């Protein structure tokens, strides 16, 4: 929008709309702003889809109740875990193949960072909950036995599940998401990632298929 200032002793203070101009007073000066000559249509199909996708990812972030903030600790000044979650999942975690966009949970990232990704082994859903085995890989640089393994899941009715444990120094480890009686059909999505012991770094999350 173009802007000009004027102080005319004949007109004095100005306000209101004249033709393609909007006038107002700022202190002792009259301010004249021109309206946009060719306003863009802000409601095209592409813009509607963009807004729908953005709202979808915002809703997904909120549905985790803040737990995903644990997975995005490596943000710079002026950013937040929310910003990193949005950047990680727009538009990569959205399936646009249907009539309406939806979240593709196999592509959703609930964590990201500089630590090596965790290697997942066997996954079972039993009477005690969801059991996930993983390789500790403690001989790889940046990996420590004191790292925290984080397993999170969401049920079809919106329950948020989380359990954590130290990575450990053995060749493999196992983490259990404690939920007695849960069935595979109850689980919407499940992920595993690791954080440094002080919580300052994280790995990219791994989607855990629950069959």
């Amino acid at each position: 929008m173009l802007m000009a200032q004027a102080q005319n002793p004949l007109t004095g203070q100005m306000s209101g709309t004249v033709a393609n101009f909007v006038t107002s007073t700022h202190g002792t000066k009259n301010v004249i702003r021109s309206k946009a000559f060719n306003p863009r249509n802000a409601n095209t199909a592409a813009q509607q889809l963009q807004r729908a996708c953005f709202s979808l990812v915002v809703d997904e972030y909120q549905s985790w109740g803040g737990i995903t903030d644990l997975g995005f600790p490596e943000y710079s000044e002026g950013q937040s875990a929310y910003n990193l979650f949005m950047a990680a999942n727009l538009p990569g975690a959205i399936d646009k193949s249907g009539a309406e966009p939806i979240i593709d949970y196999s592509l959703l990232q609930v964590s990201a960072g500089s630590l090596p990704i965790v290697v997942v082994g066997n996954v079972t859903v039993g009477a005690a909950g969801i059991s996930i085995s993983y390789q500790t890989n403690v001989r790889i640089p940046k990996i420590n036995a004191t790292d925290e393994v984080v397993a999170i899941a969401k049920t079809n009715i919106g329950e948020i599940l989380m359990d954590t444990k130290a990575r450990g120094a053995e060749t493999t480890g196992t983490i259990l998401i404690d939920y007695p009686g849960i069935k595979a059909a109850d689980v919407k999505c499940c992920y595993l990632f690791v954080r440094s012991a002080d919580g300052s770094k994280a790995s990219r999350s791994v989607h855990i298929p629950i069959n």
Side-chain angles (χ1 to χ4, degrees), residues 8 39 78 81 99 103 113 134 170-172 177 182 192 198 200 202 205 209 211:
N8 190 328
I103 295 291
Y134 58 89
E170 300 297 326
T171 303
T172 61
I177 298 180
I182 194 170
L192 196 71
D198 64 1
S200 64
S205 60
N211 299 318

Side-chain angles (χ1 to χ4, degrees), residues 134-139 144-147 166-173:
Y134 58 89
Q135 296 178 19
T136 57
N137 293 350
V138 291
R139 294 183 179 181
N144 294 289
T146 58
D147 290 342
R167 185 194 292 268
E170 300 297 326
T171 303
T172 61

Side-chain angles (χ1 to χ4, degrees), residues 122-202:
N122 294 327
V123 180
T124 59
V125 180
I130 305 169
S131 177
I132 306 167
S133 68
Y134 58 89
Q135 296 178 19
T136 57
N137 293 350
V138 291
R139 294 183 179 181
I140 295 177
K142 296 186 177 181
I143 288 180
N144 294 289
T146 58
D147 290 342
E148 181 181 58
V149 178
V150 182
I152 64 176
K154 184 194 292 186
T155 69
N156 289 321
I157 62 173
E159 297 170 299
I160 302 301
L161 317 176
M162 183 179 78
D163 272 282
T164 65
K165 67 171 294 184
R167 185 194 292 268
E170 300 297 326
T171 303
T172 61
T174 301
I175 185 169
L176 175 70
I177 298 180
D178 184 19
Y179 195 129
I182 194 170
K183 296 179 175 57
D186 299 330
V187 183
K188 175 174 284 188
C189 56
C190 182
Y191 305 91
L192 196 71
F193 63 94
V194 294
R195 299 180 354 125
S196 58
D198 64 1
S200 64
K201 298 184 183 301

Side-chain angles (χ1 to χ4, degrees), residues 7-183:
Q7 176 59 40
N8 190 328
L10 297 179
T11 58
Q13 294 185 341
M14 298 173 61
S15 64
T17 301
V18 179
N20 200 55
F21 300 95
V22 178
T23 63
S24 61
T25 301
H26 181 70
T28 60
K29 295 182 179 181
N30 291 323
V31 179
I32 303 174
R33 295 180 174 89
S34 66
K35 299 178 183 178
F37 288 97
N38 296 302
R40 295 180 179 179
N41 181 3
N43 201 34
T44 65
Q47 289 168 321
Q48 289 179 15
L49 178 60
Q50 184 180 25
R51 288 194 293 269
C53 291
F54 184 85
S55 295
L56 195 64
V57 179
V58 170
D59 290 345
E60 183 62 31
Y61 170 81
Q62 294 175 341
S63 75
W64 288 96
I67 284 179
T68 56
D69 288 2
L70 297 175
F72 295 94
E74 298 179 53
Y75 52 84
S76 58
E77 185 176 356
Q79 290 185 313
S80 66
Y82 164 78
N83 297 144
L84 297 188
F85 180 94
M86 296 298 292
N89 293 299
L90 270 174
I94 300 176
D95 179 359
K96 302 176 185 177
S97 62
E100 299 290 337
I102 59 173
I103 295 291
D104 183 338
Y105 285 101
S106 69
L107 299 176
L108 187 75
Q109 292 295 320
V110 297
S111 72
S114 60
L115 293 184
I117 193 170
V118 64
V119 178
V120 175
N122 294 327
V123 180
T124 59
V125 180
I130 305 169
S131 177
I132 306 167
S133 68
Y134 58 89
Q135 296 178 19
T136 57
N137 293 350
V138 291
R139 294 183 179 181
I140 295 177
K142 296 186 177 181
I143 288 180
N144 294 289
T146 58
D147 290 342
E148 181 181 58
V149 178
V150 182
I152 64 176
K154 184 194 292 186
T155 69
N156 289 321
I157 62 173
E159 297 170 299
I160 302 301
L161 317 176
M162 183 179 78
D163 272 282
T164 65
K165 67 171 294 184
R167 185 194 292 268
E170 300 297 326
T171 303
T172 61
T174 301
I175 185 169
L176 175 70
I177 298 180
D178 184 19
Y179 195 129
I182 194 170
K183 296 179 175 57

